[in-house]
Amino acid sequence: MIEHETERRQGIWQLFKAGLSSRRPGLPETLELSGIRCELSVHEHARARHVRLKVLPPGRVEVVVPPGYDCRRIPPLLAHHGAWLARTLDRVRREWAERPAWVPPEALDLAALGECWRVGYGGSPSGRAVCRENGPCRLLVQGADEAAWRAALRRWLSRRAKATLLPWLAATSNELGLAYAAASVRGQKTRWGSCSARGNISLNRALEFLPPHLVRYLFVHELCHTRHLNHSARFWALVASVERDYRVYEKELRLASQRIPPWLRIG
């Protein structure tokens, strides 16, 4: 057992030796854990105060480091947590393989907006995948196959989010007196929103499936980051001055991914 552990740690070191001198944050690498090779990436994050290890679907390892972090310290860190990484990687890959198949949704329940859109499907004479509104709270999705339908639905969700969430964010900003530079909508996999050092706020289109009070709290959280780009005591004090029950909302947000329909998480 000791010999196997030593060999595993030496293997991780070897994988890094060749690329350490030219390594830059975000440069993909590979890592072998218990005989399984996976993608490895390192990302420098302006708000990170400590190193964080993540195992993300369908099965890759991500290392988030603070600005200026010495990447030569990463190999022993990965070696130290190798057993946990291997177990977690195996679980994530199994869960990904067993994920629900794509089932075209009959309706989109956008709780944040108080809207429920009925969805119909059909072929596309032009060959282009499109999703268009063809009546009050009714959508028609046209495309060559299910993958095209899914892509068209996601694009429509992004358009709807831009038309509704961005004005809502602006109104919340004016209400609180917390200004931001710009705002956008994206399809993030692991975050509900983010705020950059320049004050640019990015919102996840999946927020449309959350209840209104959680969406507003997410706005508050990101707007407070325009004053404090960290999770310091001063940041949380500012959040608490706006939302006294922020701890309850933080817990709800951590569990809120269950509200995202499976088809939006697939692929």
Side-chain angles (χ1 to χ4, degrees):
M1 185 69 178
I2 295 177
E3 291 181 356
H4 175 73
E5 177 69 10
T6 301
E7 290 176 358
R8 181 180 59 76
R9 294 192 179 200
Q10 289 177 344
I12 292 176
W13 272 103
Q14 291 298 324
L15 284 170
F16 274 82
K17 273 186 177 180
L20 276 176
S21 61
S22 60
R23 184 162 181 75
R24 293 177 299 172
L27 181 67
E29 285 284 348
T30 58
L31 178 67
E32 187 167 325
L33 296 166
S34 299
I36 302 175
R37 189 173 291 272
C38 66
E39 180 185 338
L40 171 70
S41 59
V42 177
H43 297 281
E44 186 177 282
H45 197 285
R47 297 210 307 262
R49 301 179 66 182
H50 308 285
V51 178
R52 288 184 296 155
L53 302 180
K54 299 180 180 180
V55 178
L56 304 175
R60 63 185 180 88
V61 175
E62 179 180 277
V63 184
V64 181
V65 300
Y69 186 81
D70 185 356
C71 288
R72 289 173 297 182
R73 299 169 60 185
I74 293 176
L77 179 68
L78 291 171
H80 179 73
H81 294 283
W84 173 82
L85 287 169
R87 289 195 307 271
T88 308
L89 181 65
D90 179 64
R91 175 180 58 79
V92 168
R93 285 187 168 179
R94 282 188 285 104
E95 290 176 353
W96 179 259
E98 296 168 0
R99 70 192 188 280
W102 150 260
V103 177
E106 296 180 356
L108 302 183
D109 187 5
L110 307 184
L113 312 179
E115 301 174 352
C116 185
W117 292 78
R118 304 297 298 178
V119 186
Y121 299 87
S124 174
S126 66
R128 295 177 58 250
V130 296
C131 177
R132 58 185 178 86
E133 301 173 16
N134 66 338
C137 285
R138 297 192 68 87
L139 297 175
L140 176 62
V141 183
Q142 296 175 291
D145 52 32
E146 292 181 348
W149 291 348
R150 186 164 64 243
L153 274 172
R154 287 174 171 172
R155 289 195 296 271
W156 182 85
L157 279 173
S158 294
R159 293 196 301 271
R160 190 68 186 145
K162 290 176 183 178
T164 57
L165 297 185
L166 295 187
W168 186 359
L169 174 67
T172 307
S173 170
N174 291 334
E175 172 195 342
L176 303 180
L178 295 171
Y180 58 92
S184 61
V185 171
R186 298 172 56 197
Q188 299 99 315
K189 295 293 185 182
T190 60
R191 293 185 177 189
W192 293 113
S194 63
C195 179
S196 73
R198 295 184 177 182
N200 297 328
I201 292 179
S202 176
L203 303 176
N204 193 324
R205 63 191 172 199
L207 285 168
E208 295 170 283
F209 293 96
L210 271 55
H213 72 276
L214 280 188
V215 177
R216 184 182 187 280
Y217 172 70
L218 187 280
F219 293 168
V220 170
H221 186 110
E222 300 306 335
L223 287 168
C224 288
H225 275 313
T226 62
R227 294 278 183 87
H228 305 289
L229 198 63
N230 50 43
H231 288 103
S232 63
R234 288 190 299 172
F235 167 77
W236 290 116
L238 180 59
V239 173
S241 70
V242 179
E243 292 289 357
R244 183 177 57 184
D245 296 327
Y246 75 90
R247 290 186 179 87
V248 175
Y249 296 151
E250 282 288 327
K251 184 176 181 180
E252 285 189 60
L253 271 179
R254 287 194 291 271
L255 301 174
S257 60
Q258 300 171 5
R259 298 176 179 269
I260 303 176
W263 64 266
L264 187 56
R265 296 195 297 263
I266 295 173

